[in-house]
Amino acid sequence: MNDFFKKTDLTRNEAEKIIDETLLNKDDGELYLQDSINENIILDDGKIKNTNFTKTYGMGFRGVSEDVTAYCHTNSIDKNSLIDASKNIKSTLRSFKSYKHNNSIRKTNEKLYSDHNPIEAKTLKEKINLLNTVDQYLRSKSNQIKQVTASISTEKKNIEIIKTGGMTLSDNQPLTSFKISLIMKKGSKNTQGSYATGGRMTFDSYVNENNWKHVCDEAFRQAEMNLDARKAPAGEMDVVLNNGWSGVLLHEALGHTLEGDFLYKKTSVFHDQIGNKIGNENITVVDEGNISGRRGSLNMDDEGEKTQRNVLIENGKLIKFMHDRLSAKLTKNTPTGNGRRENYMFAPMPRMTNTFMMNGKNTREEMIRSVKKGIYVDALGGGSVDIVSGQFNFTVNNAWLIENGKLIAPVEGATLIGSGPEVIKKIEMIGNDLKLDNGFGTCGKSGQLVPVGLGIPSRKVLMTVGGSKT
């Protein structure tokens, strides 16, 4: 356990006393301590363009009364800073007289990842040499490659959470990311491909030769595929989506609407639908924060709660939302281990961990054969969603035109447009090929970024496709 009080004038006993006194008449709260380091190395156009080493150190103090949160943070851990934070919290919440303090928490002994430091796995020189090797490998595949960008990012994050009564919970969280993007040119046409890998296992688990070559090959395949692609069709049509990363559509268009703060604020389109059927009986959606080594996994969430497997939708029926401690209290539910924050500067909120749809019974080939005219989405890009309405818009990186049950030719320029609540009702077939993503998802919400995982089987759904031809 990291000793946060070793180099400060604040002792652990003094901190515990201030915490107890501050939170005495509050519903909930904690002191969150963080000490983390991050190294990021970027190679671009054959040259190392950036090497960045950052340290994040500080504390955040939170008090909660009813539905009001008072939060103070500072980039120092010392006695005066904690006393000042205590005064601010008490001042903000002084009008609240009644309280139901809840210090119960579901602890865990799970170890979903080791305490290794991925930054120390290789020297800076070794990482730079690796990126140069990656650049050479990609450029040897084709003289049509005009630009290669490769990056390695590693992090070791140490956190400690202190609640009233001296309850202390801690975690050491490693994270590794390796990413490739490239540009290819044919005549006047430029195409782009990108792929990545990462998670909370050892550095060599992700950046061994077989794995980094796979990442390079996939980025190259995406870019090369579009060199001769036609313009995508437009209109409402059957869409077959690939497994794995295309779960980002599930994450954005459906997952966010099932986060607990949107339930108690009644801004989710599903806030009054618990127990109701919102999709066909073959649809089961899970958020699971305790999968070993995954990017979105945590031994405990950022309130100290044990992460767990949460079935959100079962056989088409909405079962539950994802909750932090506050949303659980306000909706009379139980915390689900989904209280997350980017760092000590933020209070926690309900967030996804690893979110995916369970297997169905169809094969991808059966889905494609069933389509008279439509597209097969081979690689889905990024997108955006409006939480209140569920409306989304996603770019498609790679796709194929389907005619009479056959893949005819690559198409480009497609977008997927629709509403999460409507699309889930229009899923006609679900594949038996569930795949989790390769470990490079990052989710943004209210200005906070956290690492997440996602996944999905192939599926067939009637959707609106934005393109250029009918």
Side-chain angles (χ1 to χ4, degrees):
M1 183 174 68
N2 189 70
D3 189 354
F4 284 92
F5 300 97
K6 189 175 182 179
K7 298 180 180 180
T8 176
D9 64 346
L10 177 67
T11 68
R12 185 174 293 275
N13 286 338
E14 287 172 334
E16 291 175 359
K17 184 178 179 180
I18 294 170
I19 293 167
D20 287 347
E21 193 267 337
T22 306
L23 301 181
L24 177 63
N25 294 319
K26 313 299 182 293
D27 290 349
D28 204 356
E30 74 285 309
L31 179 67
Y32 179 94
L33 307 168
Q34 179 186 344
D35 184 5
S36 61
I37 50 176
N38 177 280
E39 181 184 70
N40 191 40
I41 309 166
I42 301 175
L43 177 145
D44 184 54
D45 204 20
K47 299 177 182 179
I48 297 297
K49 290 294 179 69
N50 184 49
T51 58
N52 188 33
F53 190 91
T54 58
K55 181 178 179 69
T56 303
Y57 180 81
M59 62 181 178
F61 197 10
R62 180 178 68 145
V64 179
S65 291
E66 297 182 10
D67 62 346
V68 176
T69 295
Y71 194 73
C72 299
H73 66 85
T74 174
N75 62 359
S76 62
I77 298 175
D78 58 69
K79 189 172 182 178
N80 285 337
S81 294
L82 187 57
I83 291 173
D84 288 343
S86 172
K87 291 177 180 177
N88 286 331
I89 289 171
K90 288 188 286 187
S91 175
T92 301
L93 302 178
R94 65 180 181 274
S95 62
F96 293 91
K97 303 300 181 184
S98 61
Y99 65 95
K100 296 178 180 179
H101 190 82
N102 179 14
N103 200 36
S104 64
I105 202 160
R106 297 169 303 121
K107 295 183 179 180
T108 179
N109 292 319
E110 282 187 313
K111 290 292 183 182
L112 305 175
Y113 35 82
S114 69
D115 291 342
H116 68 279
N117 187 340
I119 296 176
E120 298 175 349
K122 302 285 183 183
T123 66
L124 178 61
K125 183 178 179 180
E126 287 174 318
K127 293 171 187 173
I128 290 173
N129 288 341
L130 174 59
L131 291 177
N132 282 316
T133 301
V134 166
D135 181 75
Q136 293 164 13
Y137 172 78
L138 275 168
R139 293 182 187 277
S140 70
K141 296 172 75 70
S142 172
N143 59 12
Q144 293 176 312
I145 293 180
K146 299 305 175 185
Q147 185 172 358
V148 173
T149 303
S151 66
I152 294 173
S153 179
T154 48
E155 180 183 61
K156 183 63 180 295
K157 183 177 183 180
N158 303 314
I159 66 169
E160 184 172 313
I161 297 169
I162 305 177
K163 299 182 69 66
T164 57
M167 180 185 292
T168 301
L169 308 105
S170 61
D171 197 18
N172 298 317
Q173 302 166 354
L175 193 63
T176 298
S177 301
F178 171 68
K179 184 176 182 179
I180 291 291
S181 62
L182 59 92
I183 295 174
M184 297 184 70
K185 186 173 184 179
K186 183 177 182 180
S188 60
K189 185 175 185 179
N190 291 323
T191 62
Q192 184 174 356
S194 62
Y195 203 57
T197 188
R200 300 195 185 277
M201 293 189 289
T202 62
F203 182 91
D204 288 334
S205 299
Y206 305 107
V207 203
N208 60 70
E209 185 172 350
N210 287 336
N211 206 15
W212 69 250
K213 282 186 176 179
H214 168 69
V215 173
C216 292
D217 292 345
E218 175 59 20
F220 176 79
R221 185 192 70 82
Q222 290 183 22
E224 185 182 46
M225 179 176 164
N226 280 338
L227 287 175
D228 297 308
R230 306 177 184 180
K231 297 298 182 183
E236 189 175 60
M237 65 188 73
D238 285 325
V239 176
V240 178
L241 292 110
N242 195 5
N243 60 352
W245 174 249
S246 68
V248 67
L249 195 154
L250 175 76
H251 172 103
E252 294 288 357
L254 185 66
H256 279 297
T257 66
L258 300 182
E259 292 170 332
D261 46 348
F262 300 123
L263 173 62
Y264 74 76
K265 295 174 183 176
K266 297 184 179 181
T267 53
S268 167
V269 291
F270 295 117
H271 76 271
D272 58 353
Q273 295 297 307
I274 295 178
N276 293 344
K277 198 167 185 179
I278 62 172
N280 74 56
E281 62 184 14
N282 296 315
I283 296 174
T284 295
V285 175
V286 172
D287 183 85
E288 188 168 357
N290 58 348
I291 305 174
S292 181
R294 294 296 303 176
R295 181 173 169 85
S297 294
L298 295 166
N299 290 323
M300 65 180 192
D301 73 2
D302 291 320
E303 296 181 292
E305 292 280 350
K306 179 184 183 299
T307 56
Q308 63 185 37
R309 177 183 173 90
N310 296 299
V311 179
L312 308 177
I313 301 171
E314 187 172 29
N315 300 326
K317 182 185 292 186
L318 178 58
I319 301 298
K320 69 160 65 172
F321 279 63
M322 294 165 279
H323 292 288
D324 65 357
R325 290 170 61 84
L326 177 60
S327 69
K329 180 191 73 169
L330 295 176
T331 59
K332 299 181 180 180
N333 283 289
T334 301
T336 60
N338 291 92
R340 305 191 63 187
R341 61 182 109 199
E342 180 177 340
N343 55 45
Y344 73 89
M345 291 183 280
F346 300 93
M349 66 175 74
R351 304 291 297 271
M352 285 173 275
T353 57
N354 304 296
T355 313
F356 51 92
M357 183 182 291
M358 298 300 293
N359 269 328
K361 58 185 178 181
N362 301 109
T363 67
R364 191 183 314 172
E365 292 72 24
E366 287 174 336
M367 298 181 214
I368 292 171
R369 285 198 299 267
S370 72
V371 176
K372 184 175 181 180
K373 185 174 181 180
I375 64 169
Y376 166 62
V377 175
D378 182 61
L380 191 63
S384 60
V385 63
D386 179 81
I387 300 299
V388 177
S389 67
Q391 293 291 325
F392 63 80
N393 188 308
F394 279 84
T395 61
V396 175
N397 290 346
N398 296 99
W400 287 80
L401 178 67
I402 305 175
E403 289 184 353
N404 298 318
K406 295 182 179 180
L407 300 179
I408 301 301
V411 293
E412 63 179 351
T415 58
L416 302 181
I417 305 165
S419 162
E422 291 303 314
V423 165
I424 195 171
K425 294 176 183 177
K426 294 180 179 179
I427 295 176
E428 299 176 17
M429 303 172 76
I430 300 175
N432 57 7
D433 56 353
L434 169 63
K435 178 183 176 183
L436 298 181
D437 76 292
N438 213 38
F440 51 89
T442 298
C443 174
K445 177 182 175 182
S446 299
Q448 294 192 51
L449 299 175
V450 296
V452 295
L454 45 88
I456 205 163
S458 304
R459 65 271 187 216
K460 175 187 171 185
V461 58
L462 184 65
M463 297 183 70
T464 299
V465 177
S468 58
K469 300 175 73 175
T470 56

Short mmCIF file of all heavy atoms in Angstrom, two decimals, residues 184-208:
data_model
loop_
_atom_site.label_atom_id
_atom_site.label_comp_id
_atom_site.label_asym_id
_atom_site.label_seq_id
_atom_site.Cartn_x
_atom_site.Cartn_y
_atom_site.Cartn_z
N MET A 184 -2.76 5.98 -46.15
CA MET A 184 -2.33 5.44 -47.43
C MET A 184 -2.84 6.33 -48.56
O MET A 184 -3.87 7.00 -48.41
CB MET A 184 -2.84 4.01 -47.63
CG MET A 184 -2.31 3.02 -46.62
SD MET A 184 -2.83 1.31 -46.92
CE MET A 184 -1.89 0.93 -48.41
N LYS A 185 -2.12 6.35 -49.66
CA LYS A 185 -2.50 7.21 -50.78
C LYS A 185 -2.45 6.44 -52.08
O LYS A 185 -1.48 5.72 -52.37
CB LYS A 185 -1.57 8.43 -50.86
CG LYS A 185 -1.98 9.45 -51.91
CD LYS A 185 -1.13 10.70 -51.82
CE LYS A 185 -1.61 11.75 -52.82
NZ LYS A 185 -0.81 13.00 -52.73
N LYS A 186 -3.51 6.60 -52.88
CA LYS A 186 -3.57 6.01 -54.22
C LYS A 186 -4.10 7.09 -55.15
O LYS A 186 -5.28 7.47 -55.08
CB LYS A 186 -4.48 4.79 -54.24
CG LYS A 186 -4.52 4.09 -55.60
CD LYS A 186 -5.39 2.84 -55.53
CE LYS A 186 -5.40 2.11 -56.87
NZ LYS A 186 -6.25 0.90 -56.82
N GLY A 187 -3.25 7.61 -55.99
CA GLY A 187 -3.63 8.74 -56.83
C GLY A 187 -3.88 9.95 -55.95
O GLY A 187 -3.04 10.36 -55.16
N SER A 188 -5.08 10.50 -56.06
CA SER A 188 -5.44 11.66 -55.24
C SER A 188 -6.23 11.27 -53.99
O SER A 188 -6.67 12.13 -53.24
CB SER A 188 -6.27 12.65 -56.07
OG SER A 188 -7.47 12.02 -56.52
N LYS A 189 -6.37 9.99 -53.80
CA LYS A 189 -7.22 9.51 -52.69
C LYS A 189 -6.38 9.11 -51.49
O LYS A 189 -5.42 8.35 -51.60
CB LYS A 189 -8.05 8.32 -53.15
CG LYS A 189 -9.04 7.82 -52.11
CD LYS A 189 -9.90 6.71 -52.69
CE LYS A 189 -10.97 6.27 -51.70
NZ LYS A 189 -11.82 5.20 -52.25
N ASN A 190 -6.77 9.61 -50.32
CA ASN A 190 -6.14 9.23 -49.05
C ASN A 190 -7.11 8.41 -48.21
O ASN A 190 -8.30 8.73 -48.15
CB ASN A 190 -5.72 10.46 -48.25
CG ASN A 190 -4.57 11.20 -48.88
OD1 ASN A 190 -3.66 10.59 -49.44
ND2 ASN A 190 -4.62 12.53 -48.82
N THR A 191 -6.61 7.36 -47.58
CA THR A 191 -7.43 6.57 -46.67
C THR A 191 -6.69 6.42 -45.35
O THR A 191 -5.47 6.55 -45.29
CB THR A 191 -7.76 5.19 -47.23
OG1 THR A 191 -6.54 4.46 -47.42
CG2 THR A 191 -8.50 5.30 -48.55
N GLN A 192 -7.43 6.11 -44.32
CA GLN A 192 -6.84 6.00 -42.99
C GLN A 192 -7.26 4.70 -42.33
O GLN A 192 -8.38 4.21 -42.51
CB GLN A 192 -7.27 7.18 -42.11
CG GLN A 192 -6.62 7.20 -40.74
CD GLN A 192 -6.95 8.46 -39.96
OE1 GLN A 192 -7.60 9.37 -40.45
NE2 GLN A 192 -6.50 8.53 -38.71
N GLY A 193 -6.36 4.14 -41.54
CA GLY A 193 -6.67 2.97 -40.74
C GLY A 193 -6.09 3.14 -39.35
O GLY A 193 -5.05 3.77 -39.18
N SER A 194 -6.75 2.59 -38.35
CA SER A 194 -6.23 2.70 -36.98
C SER A 194 -6.67 1.49 -36.18
O SER A 194 -7.75 0.92 -36.41
CB SER A 194 -6.70 3.99 -36.30
OG SER A 194 -8.11 4.01 -36.18
N TYR A 195 -5.83 1.12 -35.23
CA TYR A 195 -6.15 0.01 -34.34
C TYR A 195 -5.28 0.13 -33.11
O TYR A 195 -4.27 0.85 -33.12
CB TYR A 195 -5.91 -1.33 -35.04
CG TYR A 195 -6.71 -2.49 -34.47
CD1 TYR A 195 -8.10 -2.44 -34.40
CD2 TYR A 195 -6.07 -3.63 -33.99
CE1 TYR A 195 -8.83 -3.49 -33.88
CE2 TYR A 195 -6.79 -4.69 -33.47
CZ TYR A 195 -8.17 -4.61 -33.42
OH TYR A 195 -8.89 -5.67 -32.90
N ALA A 196 -5.66 -0.56 -32.04
CA ALA A 196 -4.91 -0.44 -30.79
C ALA A 196 -5.15 -1.67 -29.93
O ALA A 196 -6.01 -2.51 -30.22
CB ALA A 196 -5.34 0.82 -30.04
N THR A 197 -4.40 -1.76 -28.87
CA THR A 197 -4.58 -2.82 -27.89
C THR A 197 -4.16 -2.30 -26.52
O THR A 197 -3.44 -1.30 -26.42
CB THR A 197 -3.75 -4.07 -28.26
OG1 THR A 197 -4.08 -5.14 -27.39
CG2 THR A 197 -2.25 -3.81 -28.16
N GLY A 198 -4.59 -2.97 -25.48
CA GLY A 198 -4.19 -2.54 -24.15
C GLY A 198 -5.03 -3.15 -23.06
O GLY A 198 -5.98 -3.90 -23.31
N GLY A 199 -4.67 -2.83 -21.84
CA GLY A 199 -5.40 -3.34 -20.68
C GLY A 199 -4.54 -3.28 -19.44
O GLY A 199 -3.55 -2.54 -19.38
N ARG A 200 -4.88 -4.08 -18.45
CA ARG A 200 -4.22 -4.01 -17.14
C ARG A 200 -3.29 -5.19 -16.88
O ARG A 200 -2.86 -5.40 -15.75
CB ARG A 200 -5.28 -3.91 -16.04
CG ARG A 200 -6.16 -2.66 -16.19
CD ARG A 200 -6.94 -2.37 -14.93
NE ARG A 200 -7.86 -1.25 -15.10
CZ ARG A 200 -7.52 0.03 -14.99
NH1 ARG A 200 -6.27 0.35 -14.72
NH2 ARG A 200 -8.42 0.98 -15.16
N MET A 201 -2.98 -5.98 -17.90
CA MET A 201 -2.00 -7.04 -17.74
C MET A 201 -0.60 -6.47 -18.00
O MET A 201 -0.43 -5.28 -18.18
CB MET A 201 -2.33 -8.20 -18.69
CG MET A 201 -3.63 -8.91 -18.32
SD MET A 201 -3.93 -10.43 -19.24
CE MET A 201 -4.29 -9.79 -20.87
N THR A 202 0.41 -7.32 -18.02
CA THR A 202 1.78 -6.85 -18.15
C THR A 202 2.03 -6.20 -19.52
O THR A 202 1.34 -6.50 -20.49
CB THR A 202 2.77 -8.00 -17.96
OG1 THR A 202 2.57 -8.98 -19.00
CG2 THR A 202 2.60 -8.65 -16.60
N PHE A 203 3.04 -5.36 -19.58
CA PHE A 203 3.42 -4.67 -20.82
C PHE A 203 3.61 -5.66 -21.97
O PHE A 203 3.12 -5.46 -23.08
CB PHE A 203 4.70 -3.87 -20.57
CG PHE A 203 5.18 -3.07 -21.75
CD1 PHE A 203 4.77 -1.76 -21.94
CD2 PHE A 203 6.05 -3.63 -22.68
CE1 PHE A 203 5.21 -1.02 -23.03
CE2 PHE A 203 6.50 -2.90 -23.77
CZ PHE A 203 6.08 -1.60 -23.94
N ASP A 204 4.33 -6.76 -21.70
CA ASP A 204 4.63 -7.74 -22.75
C ASP A 204 3.40 -8.50 -23.22
O ASP A 204 3.43 -9.12 -24.28
CB ASP A 204 5.69 -8.73 -22.27
CG ASP A 204 7.07 -8.10 -22.18
OD1 ASP A 204 7.31 -7.12 -22.91
OD2 ASP A 204 7.89 -8.56 -21.38
N SER A 205 2.32 -8.44 -22.46
CA SER A 205 1.08 -9.09 -22.90
C SER A 205 0.50 -8.39 -24.12
O SER A 205 -0.20 -9.00 -24.93
CB SER A 205 0.04 -9.06 -21.77
OG SER A 205 0.49 -9.76 -20.63
N TYR A 206 0.79 -7.10 -24.26
CA TYR A 206 0.22 -6.31 -25.34
C TYR A 206 1.24 -5.94 -26.41
O TYR A 206 0.87 -5.80 -27.59
CB TYR A 206 -0.41 -5.03 -24.78
CG TYR A 206 -1.41 -5.29 -23.70
CD1 TYR A 206 -1.13 -5.02 -22.37
CD2 TYR A 206 -2.64 -5.87 -24.01
CE1 TYR A 206 -2.05 -5.30 -21.37
CE2 TYR A 206 -3.56 -6.15 -23.02
CZ TYR A 206 -3.27 -5.86 -21.71
OH TYR A 206 -4.18 -6.15 -20.73
N VAL A 207 2.49 -5.77 -26.04
CA VAL A 207 3.46 -5.26 -26.99
C VAL A 207 4.52 -6.32 -27.29
O VAL A 207 5.69 -6.01 -27.48
CB VAL A 207 4.10 -3.95 -26.48
CG1 VAL A 207 4.66 -3.14 -27.66
CG2 VAL A 207 3.06 -3.07 -25.78
N ASN A 208 4.10 -7.60 -27.32
CA ASN A 208 4.97 -8.64 -27.85
C ASN A 208 4.89 -8.62 -29.37
O ASN A 208 3.99 -8.00 -29.95
CB ASN A 208 4.60 -10.01 -27.29
CG ASN A 208 3.17 -10.41 -27.65
OD1 ASN A 208 2.86 -10.69 -28.81
ND2 ASN A 208 2.30 -10.43 -26.65
#
